[in-house]
Amino acid sequence: MSAAGKESKRVLMVGLLCQDILNLVDHYPTEDEDVRCVNQFWQKGGNAANSACVLSSLGETTEYLGTVSSRAEGSSALKEMQTFGVLTEHVVYSDCPIPTSCVIINTQTGSRTIIHGTRNMAELTAEDFSSLDLTQYRWIHFEGRNTIEVCKMMEIVEDFNKKVVSPDDVITLSTECEKSKYNMGDLFPKVDVLFVSKEYAESCGFASAKETVKKLLKRVKKGCTVLCAWGDQGADGITPEGAHYHCQAFPPEKVVDTLGAGDTFNAAVIWGLCRGTGLEGALRMGCRIAGQKCGQFGYKNLH
Ligand code: ADP
Ligand code: FRU
């Protein structure tokens, strides 16, 4: 096993890299309306890709892994991610158009409405994942999608963790249950940190972040921390021992763009937990950086 200390190892974010086309409008359009947007720009998107950029900006050595279009739009999204310092040497290329989201941002409220097209991009497989040298990583976060393959990838990490000699070489596993359409239950017993979105929580019938973390703690493995972000209400977290924390949101002067607020929150929480802030400190870091993100477009200069 690697002799390197935990601090010198990478955080790996596994999941989607896509193209986001942001349309900024001064009011939300009604059906069949013909509107002009006040601005329009393209940026890279995808939960794992967004979180990777934020983590890297915060100073963590971060790698992104996923399938990437080998066409021009794919290279440009990848390059954009690299400008944040994200390492990308293990991505798997596919000759397929880049998955694309058309996003409507209402500049009055900052709300983001996403219409996503996968464009038949293949998902990463456990076979792709199995070629990684896992001694390089301290933490692996899996975006909540492609659950059957992700389950197999987590098993590869679990096997690795069983064999390590030094506790410093154990890889922390996390995932996010974000979209209610994915059945994520099989991943619950595998992770050390579980992020749950408001959408997922509500689809389980939970009415608050507090209720979500308390109820889900009973369904995860021993030793797992559970967090749930709840938009402008901030976020809650619970330690494996059942200590519950709430953190208020940090509202910016004006909310202009909430796209990727959750991805930013996850990244900042992982940063905090890697730096030993404890859950309360990590929640605060998550809400502070996510609040800052909501007050600006894109993910640059978050600190
Ligand atoms: P998602 O992007 O997954 O929908 P959320 O909307 O739950 O994620 O937001 C994640 C975090 O971002 C929240 O916990 C909060 O800290 C911050 N946040 C979201 N919306 C706002 C807002 N309007 N004002 C301030 N902070 C916000
Ligand atoms: C934001 C985001 C966007 C992307 C969409 C995919 O959380 O990652 O960048 O278009 O979600 O669902």
Side-chain angles (χ1 to χ4, degrees):
M1 293 299 158
S2 154
K6 234 180 164 67
E7 293 69 29
S8 62
K9 294 192 180 203
R10 301 176 179 189
V11 175
L12 179 67
M13 308 301 292
V14 183
L16 179 70
L17 169 66
C18 67
Q19 184 69 62
D20 284 352
I21 302 175
L22 278 73
N23 296 284
L24 277 42
V25 292
D26 56 14
H27 69 280
Y28 194 81
T30 52
E31 188 170 351
D32 210 28
E33 191 180 349
D34 179 358
V35 290
R36 299 290 170 272
C37 53
V38 293
N39 208 342
Q40 186 178 63
F41 52 92
W42 290 38
Q43 65 185 25
K44 65 91 199 78
N47 293 6
N50 293 336
S51 296
C53 289
V54 175
L55 249 177
S56 182
S57 300
L58 294 175
E60 201 60 52
T61 309
T62 309
E63 180 181 333
Y64 163 80
L65 179 66
T67 44
V68 174
S69 165
S70 55
R71 301 187 187 177
E73 325 90 77
S75 321
S76 123
L78 199 62
K79 276 200 193 111
E80 189 182 332
M81 199 160 42
Q82 289 160 350
T83 64
F84 285 84
V86 177
L87 304 165
T88 60
E89 71 261 40
H90 298 113
V91 298
V92 175
Y93 291 97
S94 170
D95 179 22
C96 185
I98 188 167
T100 300
S101 293
C102 295
V103 184
I104 300 173
I105 306 272
N106 181 349
T107 53
Q108 283 180 34
T109 61
S111 78
R112 91 288 184 265
T113 305
I114 304 171
I115 303 169
H116 182 72
T118 67
R119 304 174 85 193
N120 292 325
M121 173 59 80
E123 295 281 358
L124 191 78
T125 65
E127 197 187 335
D128 298 326
F129 183 86
S130 67
S131 62
L132 294 178
D133 168 11
L134 292 181
T135 61
Q136 295 184 87
Y137 306 104
R138 65 180 303 179
W139 187 307
I140 303 182
H141 175 84
F142 290 94
E143 183 178 323
R145 56 188 296 121
N146 185 23
T147 42
I148 293 174
E149 284 301 302
V150 163
C151 201
K152 292 185 206 160
M153 296 184 224
M154 286 187 178
E155 280 161 10
I156 294 173
V157 181
E158 285 178 326
D159 285 347
F160 171 88
N161 278 345
K162 276 184 208 142
K163 292 181 197 137
V164 299
V165 179
S166 158
D168 266 1
D169 287 323
V170 172
I171 299 170
T172 303
L173 272 179
S174 62
T175 193
E176 180 182 26
C177 297
E178 195 207 22
K179 297 183 175 64
S180 48
K181 65 179 174 181
Y182 295 118
N183 178 9
M184 304 273 301
D186 288 350
L187 305 184
F188 285 11
K190 300 197 172 302
V191 293
D192 305 293
V193 177
L194 178 68
F195 294 94
V196 185
S197 74
K198 182 180 173 193
E199 178 195 320
Y200 193 90
E202 286 178 333
S203 76
C204 297
F206 304 138
S208 67
K210 184 175 181 182
E211 181 188 357
T212 305
V213 296
K214 288 200 160 187
K215 295 228 167 111
L216 287 184
L217 187 66
K218 298 183 187 129
R219 293 183 48 200
V220 293
K221 81 170 181 194
K222 195 165 170 267
C224 178
T225 298
V226 185
L227 299 104
C228 178
W230 209 271
D232 63 5
Q233 302 295 297
D236 288 42
I238 196 159
T239 66
E241 297 74 32
H244 166 261
Y245 297 98
H246 169 73
C247 184
Q248 297 287 354
F250 284 64
E253 220 161 275
K254 184 172 180 341
V255 175
V256 294
D257 170 20
T258 59
L259 182 68
D263 307 337
T264 304
F265 172 83
N266 294 352
V269 166
I270 292 174
W271 182 91
L273 294 176
C274 282
R275 304 280 163 129
T277 61
L279 177 59
E280 194 176 11
L283 263 179
R284 191 178 159 78
M285 181 71 183
C287 288
R288 187 174 69 72
I289 302 293
Q292 200 183 329
K293 193 260 120 11
C294 293
Q296 66 172 55
F297 295 104
Y299 306 91
K300 291 240 162 79
N301 304 318
L302 296 173
H303 56 275

